Amino acid sequence: MILMEDIIREGHPTLRTKAEEVKFPLSEDDRALAHDMLEYLINSQDPEASQKYGLRPGVGLAANQVNSLKRMFALHLEDDNGEQLSFVAINPKIVSHSVEKTYLPSGEGCLSVDRSIPGFVPRYARITVKFFTVDGEEKKLRLKGMPAVAFQHELDHLNGIMFYDHINEANPFDQVPNSFPLGEE
Ligand code: SB7
Ligand code: NI
């Protein structure tokens, strides 16, 4: 089971290292990692379990964050229509994206960052993504809203990129060209 002490924090070189493609069929270790990452998210969003295990709530978790350089991440959140999205994405990619951007008006946070870093993080408003499931099945999804933002946050982790890399340093709340704040679509 993944606990807070297993999540590495900013300054650790693994967070700045590009993760490697995962080979199929998955090894037992890869399968266990995929399972454990999704389990962390589910527990972290459950009031009893998060309290019991001292978990900080999260909608996503990338392998780099548990010090593993595998191209996989877990997402567990609801979309705009209240549909639960819950999956582990292996070798994920964005195959196309909108020109229009979006951003969370309250900024982003990260389980690997123990401080609040204010500022808008520009993200594509809509993305089409492809990834493999743990069973080697290829999926293609269209995402918008929070799932699109979270997917991009996690994909960045696999490429050694942190959310604050995208914040305008001189003016963190500077207008993002061709964008709308999430929630005001
Ligand atoms: C705000 C938070 C997240 C994604 C997008 C906006 C996820 C936070 C948890 N993580 O650190 C996952 O990498
Ligand atoms: Ni993160």
Side-chain angles (χ1 to χ4, degrees), residues 12-91:
H12 194 299
T14 298
L15 291 171
R16 289 306 195 177
T17 308
K18 191 176 146 109
E20 287 173 19
E21 293 264 315
V22 176
K23 300 245 169 33
F24 287 91
L26 292 198
S27 67
E28 267 316 304
D29 282 4
D30 290 345
R31 265 186 182 272
L33 176 62
H35 167 273
D36 291 354
M37 291 197 302
L38 194 54
E39 176 192 60
Y40 174 91
L41 299 179
I42 294 167
N43 283 337
S44 82
Q45 293 177 34
D46 176 89
E48 264 106 74
S50 72
Q51 161 97 316
K52 180 171 176 195
Y53 299 114
L55 309 179
R56 191 176 143 197
V59 295
L61 185 65
N64 301 55
Q65 295 181 274
V66 289
N67 203 15
S68 170
L69 286 170
K70 307 268 184 176
R71 297 192 75 79
M72 62 164 93
F73 62 70
L75 280 186
H76 185 77
L77 77 172
E78 282 184 8
D79 70 13
D80 297 350
N81 305 318
E83 299 281 348
Q84 185 71 49
L85 272 177
S86 188
F87 59 81
V88 174
I90 298 175
N91 300 338

Side-chain angles (χ1 to χ4, degrees), residues 14 25-26 34 43 54 71 81 83 96 102 107 114 118-119 136 140 142 150 157 175 181:
T14 298
L26 292 198
N43 283 337
R71 297 192 75 79
N81 305 318
E83 299 281 348
S96 66
T102 191
D114 292 326
K140 187 175 179 182
R142 272 180 200 86
H157 275 305
Q175 276 221 29

Side-chain angles (χ1 to χ4, degrees), residues 57-62 65 104 107-112 123 146 149-150 153-154 157:
V59 295
L61 185 65
Q65 295 181 274
L104 291 172
E108 294 187 16
C110 181
L111 293 169
S112 296
R123 301 292 189 187
M146 192 57 196
V149 170
H153 178 116
E154 302 314 326
H157 275 305

